[in-house]
Amino acid sequence: MNDLLPSWNDGAAKSRILDFVARATKPGGPDFVPPAERIATFDNDGTLWCEHPLQVQGFFLIDRVKELAAKDPGMAGRQPFKALLEHDLKTLHGLGRQALMELGFATHAGVTDEAFDTIASNWLATARHPKFARLFKTCTYRPQVELLDYLRRHAFKTYIVSGGGADFIRAVAEEAYGIPREQVIGSSVKLRFDAQNGRAGLMKLSELNSFDDRDVKPQNIALHIGRRPVLAFGNSDGDLAMLRYTTTGPGARLALLLHHDDDSREAAYDREFRLSPLAEALDKADEYGITVVSMKRDWNAVFADAGE
Amino acid sequence: MNDLLPSWNDGAAKSRILDFVARATKPGGPDFVPPAERIATFDNDGTLWCEHPLQVQGFFLIDRVKELAAKDPGMAGRQPFKALLEHDLKTLHGLGRQALMELGFATHAGVTDEAFDTIASNWLATARHPKFARLFKTCTYRPQVELLDYLRRHAFKTYIVSGGGADFIRAVAEEAYGIPREQVIGSSVKLRFDAQNGRAGLMKLSELNSFDDRDVKPQNIALHIGRRPVLAFGNSDGDLAMLRYTTTGPGARLALLLHHDDDSREAAYDREFRLSPLAEALDKADEYGITVVSMKRDWNAVFADAGE
């Protein structure tokens, strides 16, 4: 048999995936899912690419503050930028949620969506992960890229549903995962439509539109897709609502949760990781019918390429 | 030549459509648009199906109020329901915007998104247009159904971007236009995620999330699709921002505006139609590079089937 998931070790997780796809795609079978209904939603950070010790977008934010500070000398003396540039995390956290929002807006707004796409694309083309010694855009997980491809071969439509910024992920999703921009759902800022000098465009504003985490994930799935997924994959408590939303319903359903338990190849963390804790989802996985995937046990490869 | 737009008369509008598609799809040509970028966005009411004298969703709203009033005898005595049930449009308009919102929420919220889909689907299966003597779901325009199909044959991805409710349009878009639910962008209410008794779902709330009209159309296109369309089709001033957004940019672009000037076959209206006026877009079409389509002159058929 031609194994379409070569980076997945034989075991319960792989069996459940293969069984689910077989049932969902068997014409006339009791669990057959028509192709139009084959919606699969994936969290991004920590599910499709690494997020530890800091999300890729966090590294982007830091580099972008440095870049902006180089053009605006006063910035390095102002909070919250000062604390960030001085790696003073204690002060930064003490400044609270509003300060973090301000960092987000300063680095992700005040430009058009198309200008931001260029900024993010340029950064992703060259920026490297300090721990894994590879381009950030290759910090994707090989077993997941295989799974996305496997699902698409069976007429599933694959979506990203991420707490990260949709516009940031769109700059890399096609290349990294084969997922087109319109199948990326994520956090977003409000936009302003401008039509001046015969040119119309959209300015990214310093105002949150949607923070796509927890309950907001199923809400945004309904808003954007208008169908309940039949497969969902996450890795933190922020994905639990999406996973439960997916398991509710008739027929074949599959909810998966990646557990980062592989300190030698990537990282081992769960409930203590304050940026994206995994606790409730892990504790209640059995009760909610969620399949836990162990990076250490279920994957024979981690990253999508060999790195450098 | 096999004419894929048989309901379009030869003329400037049809020529521009054929020329645009030829240029956009010619490999190596100066205006070639890669398939992934072939995004075409269509307004719905008055562009893909009739909206005069009242939008289809308006008829749905009235029927739904009647249905709700039959179960809640007090409703017929309360405003704004009283005015609606008594066809007292003067009082209704006097109650203002908040009253109209209340009518919308009472008829489109307070149920799950999936329950609403059933309600809308059941209504659409049998409800008939009083003026055109046909099912509402066949009040679609044949030339537009042909155009959607023609574009998809050339690898365009066709979207609806409507001021109408996304959930309402989703109940009919696949059957009426071949447009899947996830390619419907429209107005929406906020949702609440509930997970009770082992079942997770989404409740439609009496709070506006997005009124998808005017500047909000390009904003929602950026939010949902993340690409600027290369073709857009509208019929009112509410579509002007989307049309201008579409014409801005390099390469092949086409913005179209349907003018309802056919009183014998459908209706003749523009700037006086208060529910969806067409004035600025008509006056400035030339300046903005928008092609005006005359229903009377450019279409040799109007409705998608013969009716009854």
Side-chain angles (χ1 to χ4, degrees), chain A residues 39-226:
Chain A
I39 302 295
T41 56
F42 286 74
D43 170 60
N44 187 40
D45 295 312
T47 298
L48 294 182
W49 71 2
C50 65
E51 66 170 357
H52 195 276
L54 180 65
Q55 283 86 358
V56 176
Q57 200 169 357
F59 287 106
F60 168 76
L61 185 152
I62 292 168
D63 282 357
R64 182 109 176 92
V65 168
K66 288 179 188 167
E67 192 186 325
L68 292 169
K71 293 179 197 158
D72 172 9
M75 199 172 184
R78 289 198 308 271
Q79 295 295 14
F81 310 104
K82 184 172 187 290
L84 186 85
L85 291 167
E86 292 172 353
H87 303 281
D88 180 0
L89 293 185
K90 192 179 164 202
T91 297
L92 195 60
H93 290 306
L95 292 171
R97 179 181 154 88
Q98 188 52 42
L100 294 175
M101 296 284 281
E102 201 177 324
L103 286 173
F105 294 144
T107 52
H108 290 73
V111 293
T112 67
D113 59 339
E114 291 165 342
F116 180 79
D117 188 64
T118 301
I119 291 166
S121 298
N122 287 345
W123 184 82
L124 285 158
T126 58
R128 308 179 79 81
H129 197 292
K131 178 176 168 187
F132 300 114
R134 54 174 62 234
L135 293 172
F136 284 108
K137 66 180 176 179
T138 66
C139 289
T140 54
Y141 302 135
R142 184 186 301 188
Q144 301 292 61
V145 172
E146 288 171 4
L147 176 58
L148 290 166
D149 190 49
Y150 174 69
L151 290 169
R152 288 191 293 258
R153 283 167 189 256
H154 289 83
F156 284 80
K157 204 161 182 174
T158 53
Y159 281 84
I160 288 172
V161 180
S162 171
D167 288 345
F168 182 77
I169 301 167
R170 281 171 173 160
V172 73
E174 177 77 52
E175 178 185 353
Y177 310 121
I179 294 178
R181 300 173 67 88
E182 59 270 28
Q183 285 161 231
V184 174
I185 299 167
S187 295
S188 56
V189 295
K190 290 193 187 298
L191 299 167
R192 185 185 69 228
F193 177 73
D194 288 320
Q196 292 168 338
N197 308 319
R199 292 192 62 79
L202 295 163
M203 179 63 65
K204 287 168 73 79
L205 302 180
S206 294
E207 187 181 349
L208 189 67
N209 177 60
S210 175
F211 178 42
D212 189 46
D213 196 33
R214 297 187 177 261
D215 288 8
V216 181
K217 289 200 174 196
Q219 291 163 10
N220 275 339
I221 289 169
L223 177 66
H224 288 251
I225 308 176

Side-chain angles (χ1 to χ4, degrees), chain B residues 61-181:
Chain B
L61 185 151
I62 293 169
D63 282 358
R64 183 109 176 91
V65 168
K66 287 179 187 165
E67 191 187 324
L68 291 169
K71 294 177 198 160
D72 171 9
M75 198 171 182
R78 289 199 308 272
Q79 294 297 16
F81 309 105
K82 184 171 187 289
L84 186 85
L85 290 167
E86 292 172 353
H87 303 281
D88 181 359
L89 293 186
K90 192 178 165 204
T91 297
L92 195 59
H93 288 306
L95 292 171
R97 179 182 155 89
Q98 188 51 41
L100 294 176
M101 296 285 282
E102 200 176 326
L103 286 173
F105 294 143
T107 53
H108 290 72
V111 293
T112 67
D113 59 339
E114 290 165 344
F116 179 80
D117 188 64
T118 302
I119 292 166
S121 297
N122 288 345
W123 184 83
L124 285 159
T126 59
R128 307 180 78 81
H129 197 291
K131 178 176 169 188
F132 300 115
R134 55 174 62 233
L135 293 173
F136 284 108
K137 66 179 177 181
T138 67
C139 289
T140 54
Y141 302 134
R142 184 186 299 188
Q144 301 291 61
V145 173
E146 290 171 4
L147 177 57
L148 290 167
D149 191 48
Y150 173 68
L151 290 170
R152 289 189 294 259
R153 284 168 189 254
H154 289 84
F156 284 80
K157 204 161 183 174
T158 54
Y159 281 83
I160 289 173
V161 180
S162 170
D167 287 347
F168 182 77
I169 301 166
R170 281 171 173 159
V172 73
E174 177 76 52
E175 178 184 353
Y177 310 120
I179 292 178
R181 300 172 67 88

Side-chain angles (χ1 to χ4, degrees), chain A residues 193 195 198-201, chain B residues 40-43 47 161 213-219 221 228-249 253-259 278 280-282 284-293:
Chain A
F193 177 73
R199 292 192 62 79
Chain B
T41 57
F42 286 74
D43 170 60
T47 298
V161 180
D213 196 34
R214 298 189 175 260
D215 287 7
V216 181
K217 289 199 173 197
Q219 290 162 12
I221 289 169
R228 196 188 282 258
V230 292
L231 183 152
F233 210 138
N235 81 303
S236 78
D237 288 352
D239 300 312
L240 187 53
M242 175 172 77
L243 298 175
R244 296 190 68 191
Y245 181 57
T246 300
T247 57
T248 296
R253 312 240 145 214
L254 187 61
L256 299 148
L257 186 71
L258 179 62
H259 189 197
L278 169 62
E280 185 189 358
L282 197 58
K284 298 206 172 162
D286 275 355
E287 179 186 338
Y288 295 153
I290 296 167
T291 298
V292 177
V293 174

Side-chain angles (χ1 to χ4, degrees), chain A residues 220-241:
Chain A
N220 275 339
I221 289 169
L223 177 66
H224 288 251
I225 308 176
R227 308 183 196 261
R228 198 188 281 257
V230 291
L231 182 152
F233 211 137
N235 81 304
S236 77
D237 288 353
D239 300 312
L240 187 54

